[in-house]
């Protein structure tokens, strides 16, 4: 009742702060429902959708960022609620599909790049969270850990390369931070043996060298005016 009332007031008066309060109430409502049960609170999507449409109607971009953040957290929570708390692979897949969809929108609808670019960044964060939990909290066997680590690093390098070419600084920072966390976590897992540590540093050195080369190319393009401000 609270969020419905604030939504009606915010939409009628076209009040952005009231709509932001509505989204907070929707998230609080969903959190209280999920904290007292083991089921996914799907009605959250109804409230989230209504508020998001109102934000878009108002063309209030900070509100759309709030909506994207709320939806990202909801998707991440699915990994802890579905499949007895072991559905983080689903979270990773949703994140990857969201990133691919955002890239497609940027390519085929350049006029919507101001919407697709931040969505790409949020999708990358969701995908990384799912992959990270699969690697370091699900206790996979060594072979599966290696495969997941390679997939994660390849995806992050691809994100960094694309973000550099597209000038998407938000996605670039997220990918850099995620890459650092991934490398440090892998180091903590493989440091137990001399061979594991050596292989880790070899792979890390190759990846860092590739990133340094990409950064050098980016700096050259920027100095030549090739990268948009």
């Amino acid at each position: 009742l609270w969020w419905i009332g604030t939504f009606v007031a915010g939409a009628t008066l076209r009040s952005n702060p009231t709509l932001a309060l509505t989204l907070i109430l929707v998230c609080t409502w969903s959190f209280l429902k999920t904290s007292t049960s083991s089921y996914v609170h799907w009605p959250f999507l109804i409230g989230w959708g209504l508020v998001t449409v109102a934000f878009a109607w108002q063309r209030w971009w900070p509100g759309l960022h709030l909506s994207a953040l709320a939806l990202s957290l909801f998707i991440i929570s699915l990994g802890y609620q579905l499949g007895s708390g072991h559905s983080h692979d689903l979270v990773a897949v949703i994140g990857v599909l969201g990133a691919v969809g955002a890239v497609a929108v940027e390519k085929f609808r350049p006029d919507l790049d101001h919407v697709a670019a931040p969505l790409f960044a949020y999708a990358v964060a969701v995908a990384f969270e799912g992959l990270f939990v699969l690697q370091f909290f699900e206790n996979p066997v060594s072979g599966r850990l290696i495969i997941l680590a390679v997939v994660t690093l390849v995806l992050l390098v691809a994100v960094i390369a694309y973000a550099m070419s597209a000038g998407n600084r938000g996605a670039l920072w997220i990918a850099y931070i995620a890459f650092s966390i991934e490398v440090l976590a892998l180091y903590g897992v493989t440091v137990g043996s001399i061979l594991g540590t050596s292989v880790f540093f070899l792979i890390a050195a190759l990846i860092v060298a590739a990133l340094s080369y990409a950064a050098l190319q980016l700096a050259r393009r920027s100095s030549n005016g090739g990268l948009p401000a």
Side-chain angles (χ1 to χ4, degrees):
L1 290 177
W2 288 354
W3 78 256
I4 291 174
T6 54
F7 172 74
V8 172
T12 303
L13 301 175
R14 305 190 68 175
S15 170
N16 292 327
T18 304
L19 290 174
L21 175 61
T22 302
L23 184 59
I24 294 174
L25 290 175
V26 170
C27 293
T28 303
W29 171 52
S30 183
F31 173 77
L32 293 175
K33 294 293 290 185
T34 54
S35 63
T36 56
S37 67
S38 58
Y39 301 100
V40 178
H41 187 233
W42 297 110
F44 162 83
L45 295 176
I46 299 175
W48 173 86
L50 291 173
V51 178
T52 302
V53 169
F55 283 147
W57 178 50
Q58 292 278 82
R59 295 184 178 273
W60 193 46
W61 305 120
L64 290 175
H65 275 285
L66 290 176
S67 292
L69 178 61
L71 182 61
S72 299
L73 294 176
F74 176 78
I75 294 173
I76 290 173
S77 71
L78 295 179
Y80 300 92
Q81 294 176 298
L82 298 176
S84 300
H86 301 285
S87 294
H88 304 286
D89 51 348
L90 175 63
V91 174
V93 169
I94 293 175
V96 172
L97 292 178
V100 172
V103 171
V105 171
E106 283 188 307
K107 295 298 182 182
F108 296 105
R109 290 293 304 274
D111 56 312
L112 297 177
D113 60 345
H114 60 289
V115 176
L119 290 181
F120 177 77
Y122 285 109
V124 168
V126 170
F128 175 70
E129 193 279 340
L131 289 169
F132 188 84
V133 174
L134 286 174
Q135 292 174 84
F136 305 109
F137 290 90
E138 292 289 310
N139 298 320
V141 296
S142 58
R144 178 175 169 81
L145 174 62
I146 293 174
I147 294 174
L148 289 171
V150 170
V151 170
T152 303
L153 291 173
V154 169
L155 286 176
L156 289 175
V157 171
V159 169
I160 291 173
Y162 177 78
M164 284 182 172
S165 64
N168 190 335
R169 287 177 171 80
L172 186 62
W173 276 107
I174 290 176
Y176 273 143
I177 294 172
F179 183 85
S180 301
I181 294 174
E182 176 73 14
V183 169
L184 290 174
L186 285 174
Y187 177 75
V189 172
T190 60
V191 73
S193 64
I194 297 177
L195 178 61
T197 304
S198 301
V199 173
F200 166 81
F201 278 115
L202 174 61
I203 296 175
L206 293 175
I207 294 175
V208 170
L211 290 176
S212 300
Y213 176 78
L216 178 61
Q217 296 300 314
L218 177 64
R220 289 176 177 174
R221 288 179 57 191
S222 299
S223 63
N224 295 330
L227 185 68

